[in-house]
Amino acid sequence: MSLLILNNITKSFGAIQALNGVDLSIAAGEAVGLMGDNGAGKSTLMKVIAGNFPPTSGEIRIDDKKVEFHKPLDARKAGIEIVYQDLALCDNLTAGANVFLGRELKKKVGPFSMLDYPAMYEKAGALFAELKSETRPRDLVRQMSGGQRQAVAIARTRLSDPKLVLMDEPTAAISVRQVAEVLALINRLKETGHAVILVSHRMPDVFEVCDRVAVLRRGAKVADKKISETSPEEVTGLIIGAIEAA
Ligand SMILES: Nc1ncnc2c1ncn2[C@@H]1O[C@H](COP(=O)(O)OP(=O)(O)O)[C@@H](O)[C@H]1O
Ligand SMILES: [Mg+2]
């Protein structure tokens, strides 16, 4: 059964139609690659699913119930987490503090409520271990490699044990070794029953970790295929429009 179903999603920004009748579904434990040229509507689709803004029309269903997200918190409560393109981390804070940013653990000391750093570092350490990342909770994010920063962003999404993790271009600006680390993290998410939508320009990444690939062109979905039933050449043709649809 599908975890998330999008029916006929459109999104206009004034005269710009960023999304035009997009259908998409994803099941638990599945990773879908979302590809398309710059401006194709990939980030807009992620933001609609993450509750950043509502679609102009169309329906979002989770576990076969219609949902309406008015803000990111609504989507988060429904089990959807997003890793933004820029990761949205605070460089001056530790890895552990970043994982808990905005939902810090507190403890009561007499009449006072204090931040419970030991508990946060312990939980963050457990999340990094689960993700098989070497990231240490007390290290400052400023001093971290791209792959470690990714692990922090992904650990943050896992705090609430989401059903669906959205990743917008997570490997756009990191080294080859760090890319391997991020792809391993995506495999871990799948193994633990999470659904993942990976927005990427990198064909090898999508073919390595995704089960399906969906291609957007000028706001419309032009293909949705099993990875085993397509090829990088076909997907490239679909992205640039040399192949109309598949
Ligand atoms: N907040 C916004 N306001 C106006 N136009 C936007 C906004 N966000 C995206 N767009 C436009 O929507 C289209 C799709 O953009 P986007 O979803 O960012 O594409 P992609 O992520 O595939 O590169 C583009 O034409 C872009 O300029
Ligand atoms: Mg984008």
Side-chain angles (χ1 to χ4, degrees):
M1 198 189 78
S2 293
L3 167 67
L4 170 81
I5 298 176
L6 303 179
N7 283 326
N8 206 8
I9 298 288
T10 67
K11 178 70 190 177
S12 308
F13 298 106
I16 298 170
Q17 182 137 31
L19 294 173
N20 188 358
V22 175
D23 296 331
L24 187 73
S25 68
I26 183 165
E30 188 179 33
V32 174
L34 183 64
M35 304 195 78
D37 211 347
N38 283 332
K42 305 178 298 294
S43 293
T44 302
L45 189 63
M46 291 303 98
K47 287 174 181 168
V48 164
I49 301 171
N52 288 70
F53 38 61
T56 304
S57 65
E59 184 187 55
I60 304 175
R61 301 181 76 85
I62 294 189
D63 291 331
D64 215 25
K65 279 197 284 290
K66 183 176 162 62
V67 292
E68 277 181 32
F69 301 147
H70 301 285
K71 50 185 184 308
L73 189 60
D74 296 341
R76 180 178 270 180
K77 282 182 180 155
I80 296 170
E81 289 278 347
I82 183 164
V83 179
Y84 289 100
Q85 205 157 0
D86 62 2
L87 298 187
L89 297 178
C90 295
D91 274 356
N92 57 328
L93 299 179
T94 61
N98 266 283
V99 169
F100 283 91
L101 204 63
R103 38 191 163 172
E104 289 82 1
L105 299 180
K106 300 196 174 111
K107 63 178 170 197
K108 280 267 183 208
V109 179
F112 304 107
S113 178
M114 290 175 60
L115 293 181
D116 191 349
Y117 279 107
M120 286 191 269
Y121 285 139
E122 194 188 319
K123 174 77 180 158
L127 284 170
F128 295 141
E130 227 179 283
L131 294 169
K132 298 204 176 359
S133 166
E134 311 262 290
T135 310
R136 290 180 308 216
R138 287 180 171 77
D139 285 358
L140 282 180
V141 162
R142 187 191 299 128
Q143 293 154 353
M144 289 184 173
S145 70
Q148 287 178 320
R149 297 168 65 91
Q150 276 295 334
V152 174
I154 292 169
R156 180 155 91 195
T157 69
R158 295 210 44 182
L159 250 198
S160 53
D161 197 24
K163 297 172 181 164
L164 170 65
V165 178
L166 311 173
M167 296 191 190
D168 195 351
E169 305 263 12
T171 55
I174 58 180
S175 73
V176 174
R177 201 172 64 81
Q178 293 160 1
V179 167
E181 227 176 288
V182 172
L183 297 183
L185 293 176
I186 294 173
N187 276 326
R188 285 293 298 155
L189 288 171
K190 281 171 58 178
E191 282 162 25
T192 46
H194 300 78
V196 179
I197 300 181
L198 170 66
V199 174
S200 181
H201 275 107
R202 293 171 44 93
M203 205 64 75
D205 296 0
V206 169
F207 275 75
E208 187 174 330
V209 295
C210 293
D211 305 288
R212 261 166 54 216
V213 57
V215 180
L216 289 182
R217 197 166 68 236
R218 281 186 253 108
K221 191 175 82 172
V222 294
D224 189 336
K225 301 190 83 166
K226 283 189 182 156
I227 285 290
S228 57
E229 290 169 5
T230 185
S231 63
E233 294 71 28
E234 183 179 48
V235 174
T236 302
L238 288 158
I239 291 171
I240 63 178
I243 302 172
E244 194 53 44

